[in-house]
Amino acid sequence: LEVVNDHNDVIYKSTLDEVDFGKLFLEQLHSRNLLFDKLLNEFSNLIGFSNKKIIQQAAAIQALCSTNLTTGNKHQINFSCFPSTALWYQQEILSLVMRVYCEDQWMDDLKRYIPSAINDADKCKKDLQGNTPAPSTYRQNVFKKLVHFLVDGLKENDYKIQGPVLKPLQSLFNKMFIRRGQISVSVIGDMTRATLLVKDEEDLRGVVTKIEDAFPDINGGKFQGPNKIGMVKFLEEVAEMKKVPGSEIILYRFKPNSSQKERMSTGDPPLYFNLNFFDGIPEYHRVGTTEMFV
């Protein structure tokens, strides 16, 4: 590495777009602060709790003391004795949320792809003010391959597809910043999702049977993420999983949706299922000490 004597304050946002580093830094800082405040405010409205500082403290306690926190006990936390809101943790999660959200958007132009987070904050800010964009063409084609496998043998008017759609930025933030009783979220299993509607119940049973027969190991089993079995074993197990014929799609979990519990308790078969898959190898993201697979 040679350090030259002449320096400038220019940084490249892409192969052609150069900007003043000081200006870019201030833009990033402003965008990140605006983003975090807006996302936290929306989450505060969602749960009906107006004291945002206590929400930040709760997230900080969860991040700093997660090994000592358990659910269902009688312990109470006096937030006035815990002044930290863990600013480092907020920025870490925000950076990870933006990276996971934006990464899909560059899949259509891999020739000019730059693995950089410089444009993430600005893009997220614009998307938050408008509508969540559609998934990349690449990702949409993956869903088409999966649907083709699932509906093989059905007529076109026997089913309908809704989506695929990207997980909204706000929903992603809610899941990763305040984890609703979960100690850790190691896999975002619904970053891009779609719904397959089958008109006839008998045809639905046919689709279910096809999945159960072709992928018996994923049916109803509890998926073991890297937070349970370690990253190396997790990747080894995923690498050995069967793929949908003619694709790189790795199905890893298939089970009735939780909304079907009451129906199943009366002996009726479920009508709504969750099917999770990896598009090729799991996408790995890490910021600071926080890591995530998509």
Side-chain angles (χ1 to χ4, degrees):
L1 175 64
E2 180 184 1
V3 181
V4 296
N5 292 325
D6 297 328
H7 301 278
N8 58 40
D9 57 356
V10 170
I11 188 170
Y12 287 87
K13 293 177 69 174
S14 66
T15 53
L16 299 175
D17 187 15
E18 61 177 42
V19 295
D20 176 77
F21 178 76
K23 180 181 178 182
L24 178 64
F25 177 80
L26 290 176
E27 287 177 353
Q28 287 273 313
L29 189 64
H30 179 263
S31 294
R32 291 170 68 92
N33 289 339
L34 183 148
L35 263 174
F36 184 83
D37 186 65
K38 185 171 180 61
L39 291 167
L40 183 62
N41 189 60
E42 287 299 318
F43 179 79
S44 172
N45 293 335
L46 176 67
I47 64 174
F49 190 80
S50 61
N51 194 326
K52 290 187 286 185
K53 184 176 180 180
I54 288 185
I55 295 175
Q56 291 171 275
Q57 289 172 323
I61 290 173
Q62 180 176 252
L64 295 170
C65 316
S66 61
T67 56
N68 297 317
L69 291 179
T70 57
T71 57
N73 59 27
K74 301 297 182 181
H75 297 298
Q76 295 182 344
I77 298 172
N78 183 353
F79 285 98
S80 63
C81 299
F82 191 85
S84 173
T85 57
L87 180 62
W88 61 270
Y89 176 69
Q90 295 176 19
Q91 293 302 313
E92 194 170 284
I93 291 297
L94 180 63
S95 295
L96 190 60
V97 167
M98 292 192 300
R99 190 85 287 268
V100 168
Y101 176 81
C102 290
E103 182 69 14
D104 177 86
Q105 306 304 305
W106 314 116
M107 296 298 291
D108 287 340
D109 193 11
L110 294 180
K111 289 184 179 179
R112 293 187 294 176
Y113 171 76
I114 300 174
S116 169
I118 289 178
N119 297 313
D120 286 358
D122 184 58
K123 175 171 177 50
C124 288
K125 185 175 67 173
K126 291 177 180 177
D127 286 358
L128 203 59
Q129 293 169 345
N131 296 319
T132 300
S136 62
T137 302
Y138 168 84
R139 199 74 76 193
Q140 292 184 50
N141 288 335
V142 171
F143 273 84
K144 288 180 181 178
K145 290 180 181 179
L146 177 58
V147 170
H148 179 75
F149 166 75
L150 295 175
V151 302
D152 185 33
L154 297 181
K155 297 178 181 179
E156 193 170 333
N157 61 351
D158 290 337
Y159 64 90
K160 182 180 179 182
I161 299 295
Q162 295 179 343
V165 296
L166 276 178
K167 192 178 187 72
L169 186 65
Q170 182 71 55
S171 178
L172 187 62
F173 175 82
N174 295 350
K175 187 167 188 176
M176 292 172 65
F177 185 62
I178 300 290
R179 294 166 178 164
R180 292 180 296 180
Q182 302 176 56
I183 295 301
S184 64
V185 178
S186 59
V187 177
I188 298 294
D190 57 349
M191 190 60 223
T192 313
R193 47 187 160 179
T195 302
L196 170 63
L197 301 174
V198 182
K199 291 183 178 180
D200 186 80
E201 187 173 339
E202 185 176 341
D203 288 338
L204 173 63
R205 301 290 161 225
V207 174
V208 170
T209 300
K210 178 182 295 185
I211 298 171
E212 292 175 339
D213 290 346
F215 301 91
D217 294 338
I218 70 168
N219 181 30
K222 188 174 182 181
F223 176 68
Q224 295 291 312
N227 59 318
K228 299 288 187 182
I229 60 177
M231 189 178 300
V232 173
K233 187 170 178 57
F234 164 73
L235 290 174
E236 287 176 346
E237 290 191 357
V238 170
E240 294 175 357
M241 289 180 175
K242 291 175 61 178
K243 297 179 180 179
V244 171
S247 76
E248 294 298 311
I249 298 170
I250 302 173
L251 304 184
Y252 69 85
R253 180 166 51 200
F254 179 63
K255 63 178 183 178
N257 186 270
S258 58
S259 64
Q260 302 297 292
K261 287 183 179 179
E262 184 175 349
R263 178 179 174 85
M264 294 168 66
S265 67
T266 61
D268 293 321
L271 296 176
Y272 188 16
F273 295 82
N274 293 345
L275 177 63
N276 297 88
F277 68 93
F278 291 118
D279 178 9
I281 60 172
E283 293 176 10
Y284 175 72
H285 300 272
R286 176 170 179 155
V287 176
T289 60
T290 307
E291 52 194 0
M292 196 71 56
F293 284 98
V294 176

